[in-house]
Amino acid sequence: MIYKWILPPPIAADKINQIAREFDLPPIIARILIQRGIDSPPKVKKFYDMSLENLYDPFLLPGMEEAVDRIIRALREGENILIYGDYDVDGVTSVSILYDGLFYLGGKVSFFIPSRFREGYGVSVEGVKVAKEKGASLIITVDCGITAIDEVEFARELGIDVIICDHHQPSESVPQAISVLNPKLPNSAYPYKELAGCGVAFKVLQALSQKLNINPNFPNQYLDLVALGTAADIVQLLDENRIFMYQGLKMINQNPRPGLMALLESSGLLGRPLTVNAIVFVLAPRLNAVGRMSNAKKAVHLLTTRSFQQGRNIARILEYENRTRKDIDEITFEEALELIHDEIDLDSKRVLVLAKENWHTGVIGIVASRIMEKFNRPTILISIQNGVGKGSARSMGNFDIYEGFKKLKHLFINFGGHKFAAGITIDPENIPLLDREINMLSEEELDIDQLIPKLKIDAEITFDQLNAQFFSALSDMAPFGPGNMRPVFVSHDLKTYGPVSVVGNNHLKAKFKQKSIVLDAIGYNLGHLIDLINRPKGRISCAYVLEENRWNGRTAIQMRLKDIEVRSNG
C-alpha cells in the first residue's frame, strides 16, 4: 500500500514553548499535544490527571435516578433480574460488571447473551421469552437495546420492566422502557458522549453505590473489565475513557482477577506489562472467539470466576476456539480476495460488496475489516445461508455506513450499527441493488481523495532528540488509542546498519543509523520493501512509532515502521 504522508501544520513557537515550560515537556511532545487540541494549560492538566476523582457524576446521565430506584426495589424485594448483553468484548464485560456487581449487592441475578447464530444481535423476542422463563421481572440490557422498541413493548406485555444501558447511536424513537441510559441521547447533557457499553454499566454501579450509601470504591473493582471492553470496542480514549483505561490497566498489571490471569497466561502475556494494543490484538480476539464460534457466556464465566483453575479451564477453551476462528478467518479472507480479483473493477467501486454462500457469520466482520484495510474502501461482507443474507460492514473516512444504510433501509430485513461498523440482514435478491445504490451514495459522500491511504505524521525528529526526558514524556502520553494514537514520527537521511532481512510472515527487520546513533526497527507486513531500502546510495526516510521491545529479559526502544521512502541522492 502506498501512503500519502500528511505532515503536521506549523504552530507558533511561543505557544509550543509556553506548554513545554509550564509542564516541563520536550518541545516535540508539547507540539503534538497542541496539534491534538490539547492546546491550553487547563487542557494539558486535565489530559495528564487520570485520577478517579475526575470521573463524572453518574446522575448526570438522564434517566439514572429512575434506573437505580427500580434496581434497588428489585434488590430489596428479591426480584429476579436478568442482564441481557451482546456477544462481543464490550458486551461480555458489560454483562460481567452488572451480573457480578448486583450479585455482590445481594441481587438474584442471571444473564443472557444471545447466540450469534440463533437469536442474532441485540434484544429479541426470543430473548425476552427466555427472561420470562427464568421468572425475571426486570431486564437490564447492556451494550444493546437502544433500537428495541417492539421487543421492549413485548416485555411490558409480559409484565417485565426493562432498563436500557447502551452507547450506540439512537434512532428517531427510543423504546418505552423504565429508563434509557445512553450518553448519546439527544436530551443528554452528560459531559462525555463516547463511553463504551461497559462504561455505562460502570456508571450504574457508581450511581447505586451513591444511592445505597455504601463504600464509594465498590464499583472500582470492575475498572479492569471497563478497560478491557473500552479498548476492544475501539472507542475514543480521551476524557473519562482515558481514566478508565489508565486505572484499569494498572489493576490488571498489578493484580489481575483469576480469570484474566489465566487468559494472560494462556496467551503468553503473563508477567509482561499489558497495553491497549495487547488487549486489542491478543486478549480481545480470544474473548470474542467464543461469541463468534459458540456462545459468549463462557467469556462471562471466565471474567467473573473466583477460581484460577476454573479460569485456566475456560482459557483453554478460548485458545482452541480462537485458533479455529483464525483458520476460518484466513479461508474466508482468501475467498474474498478471489471474488475481488474475479468480479470487481476497483477503478469503479468505492464500496466493496462481497457475498458468498455459507461464509461463517462469526468471522465476516473481521474479514470485512481486513479487506477494508487492504483496499482502503468501505467493505460489506455477506454470508448467504438458508435463503437469507447476513452481513457485516466496515467503513472509513467520512463515509457513515450506518447513515447510508438508513437511506437504503427499504432493501433490508433489518440493520443496525454506527458510523464505522454496522450489520444487515438482507434478501439475497437485493444484494445487487445494495451494491449499486451504496456505491451511488458513496460517489456523493466519499471523496476520491479518501481512497488514497494517508499516514498522518505527528512530528519530524532526529535520533539525537531521543533522550531520557523525551521517552519519559512520550510514555506519559499513554494510554494510546483512538483520539490519542501513539505518535508517528518521521526521520530523514537514514542509512541501514548491518543486514536487512525478512522474518516471520513478511516482516521487515533492520537497523537504521543517523549520524552515530543506531535504532532497531521492525516493519510488520513490510517485507516487500526490502529491495527498496537495499538500493545503493539512496536517502532513506522512515515513518514510525517508538515502542519498547522486550526479548529474553531485555528491554530496548525500537522503531515500529509504518512506511519507508527512498530518494536517489542524484
Side-chain angles (χ1 to χ4, degrees), residues 17 82 94 253 402 408 446 512:
N17 292 334
L82 180 90
S94 301
N253 285 320
Y402 178 71
L408 304 179
L446 189 63
F512 289 102

Side-chain angles (χ1 to χ4, degrees), residues 89 228 231-232 234 267 269 274-288 322 325-326 366 369-370 373 480-482 485 524-525 547 560 562:
V89 181
L228 273 181
I234 319 295
S267 62
L269 291 177
L274 192 70
T275 63
V276 174
N277 259 15
I279 293 176
V280 172
F281 294 108
V282 182
L283 298 188
R286 288 160 169 79
L287 290 165
N288 266 325
N322 189 50
R325 188 273 307 166
K326 286 169 73 174
I366 299 172
S369 292
R370 292 181 65 186
E373 288 169 8
F480 296 112
M485 298 300 289
Y524 297 111
N525 299 309
E547 52 191 20
R560 176 158 57 82
K562 308 288 283 187

Side-chain angles (χ1 to χ4, degrees), residues 146-147 149 169-174 186 402-403 406 409:
I146 194 64
T147 60
I149 294 172
Q169 195 66 41
S171 300
E172 292 81 2
S173 301
V174 297
Y402 178 71
E403 286 298 319
K406 280 172 69 174
K409 61 184 178 183

Side-chain angles (χ1 to χ4, degrees), residues 429-447:
E429 292 183 358
N430 285 339
I431 293 174
L433 289 172
L434 169 62
D435 189 356
R436 187 186 72 194
E437 295 193 25
I438 199 74
N439 270 285
M440 287 173 63
L441 276 179
S442 72
E443 290 178 9
E444 301 169 7
E445 301 176 18
L446 189 63
D447 298 334

Side-chain angles (χ1 to χ4, degrees), residues 496 500-502 506 508-510 512 526-538 540 564-567:
T496 56
V500 180
S501 59
V502 177
N506 193 38
L508 186 71
K509 187 172 178 61
F512 289 102
L526 295 182
H528 60 282
L529 296 178
I530 188 167
D531 292 335
L532 179 70
I533 64 173
N534 278 334
R535 288 178 186 170
K537 299 181 181 178
I540 299 172
I564 297 173
E565 287 186 353
V566 178
R567 296 181 182 178

Side-chain angles (χ1 to χ4, degrees), residues 11-82:
I11 297 174
D14 58 345
K15 190 166 189 177
I16 294 171
N17 292 334
Q18 178 198 5
I19 297 294
R21 280 195 306 269
E22 186 159 343
F23 293 93
D24 193 23
L25 295 171
I28 287 177
I29 299 297
R31 169 189 287 276
I32 293 169
L33 292 175
I34 293 167
Q35 287 167 188
R36 296 182 176 191
I38 307 164
D39 54 3
S40 66
K43 288 180 180 178
V44 175
K45 187 174 185 299
K46 182 178 181 180
F47 178 78
Y48 283 111
D49 186 356
M50 291 175 280
S51 63
L52 292 172
E53 288 72 21
N54 291 327
L55 294 176
Y56 298 120
D57 183 346
F59 287 98
L60 294 174
L61 270 172
M64 186 62 83
E65 194 80 45
E66 295 82 355
V68 295
D69 285 348
R70 182 64 185 89
I71 294 170
I72 289 170
R73 193 178 96 204
L75 293 173
R76 288 176 174 164
E77 297 182 7
E79 296 180 53
N80 289 321
I81 304 170
L82 180 90

Side-chain angles (χ1 to χ4, degrees), residues 113-338:
I113 297 179
S115 164
R116 184 186 294 266
F117 314 106
R118 291 192 306 273
E119 298 89 8
Y121 169 78
V123 180
S124 65
V125 167
E126 291 76 14
V128 174
K129 288 178 180 176
V130 170
K132 184 67 175 178
E133 290 166 7
K134 289 177 175 283
S137 54
L138 176 62
I139 294 173
I140 306 175
T141 77
V142 287
D143 193 34
C144 62
I146 194 64
T147 60
I149 294 172
D150 294 340
E151 292 79 7
V152 169
E153 183 58 34
F154 179 64
R156 289 176 61 188
E157 291 170 3
L158 295 180
I160 304 173
D161 289 339
V162 180
I163 294 170
I164 291 172
C165 304
D166 203 350
H167 71 118
H168 293 99
Q169 195 66 41
S171 300
E172 292 81 2
S173 301
V174 297
Q176 296 299 303
I178 292 292
S179 175
V180 178
L181 303 175
N182 187 330
K184 292 188 176 75
L185 285 176
N187 68 330
S188 176
Y190 195 73
Y192 187 61
K193 308 294 184 185
E194 303 305 323
L195 296 177
C198 55
V200 180
F202 178 84
K203 304 309 290 189
V204 172
L205 290 188
Q206 269 195 312
L208 281 168
S209 67
Q210 287 185 31
K211 195 82 169 181
L212 292 170
N213 198 27
I214 60 175
N215 186 343
N217 291 322
F218 153 69
N220 297 343
Q221 64 186 296
Y222 302 105
L223 284 166
D224 55 344
L225 302 184
V226 181
L228 273 181
T230 298
D233 219 48
I234 319 295
V235 294
Q236 188 187 76
L237 293 190
L238 292 173
D239 205 293
E240 203 164 31
N241 283 343
R242 180 169 164 82
I243 299 172
F244 287 150
M245 188 58 55
Y246 174 81
Q247 297 289 346
L249 284 174
K250 187 164 69 171
M251 280 182 64
I252 297 170
N253 285 320
Q254 291 177 355
N255 185 27
R257 63 180 59 229
L260 263 182
M261 182 181 287
L263 188 61
L264 291 168
E265 179 187 66
S266 69
S267 62
L269 291 177
L270 191 61
R272 297 165 57 185
L274 192 70
T275 63
V276 174
N277 259 15
I279 293 176
V280 172
F281 294 108
V282 182
L283 298 188
R286 288 160 169 79
L287 290 165
N288 266 325
V290 284
R292 296 184 185 282
M293 308 308 296
S294 57
N295 194 296
K297 66 182 180 182
K298 297 167 195 168
V300 175
H301 292 313
L302 176 79
L303 297 177
T304 57
T305 184
R306 300 291 192 268
S307 163
F308 178 60
Q309 188 55 53
Q310 184 184 21
R312 273 181 161 171
N313 295 339
I314 301 171
R316 278 196 288 267
I317 296 172
L318 267 64
E319 289 293 335
Y320 170 77
E321 298 207 6
N322 189 50
R323 286 194 297 271
T324 304
R325 188 273 307 166
K326 286 169 73 174
D327 291 342
I328 297 171
D329 178 356
E330 197 57 41
I331 292 168
T332 307
F333 181 65
E334 293 299 328
E335 290 177 348
L337 290 180
E338 285 180 21

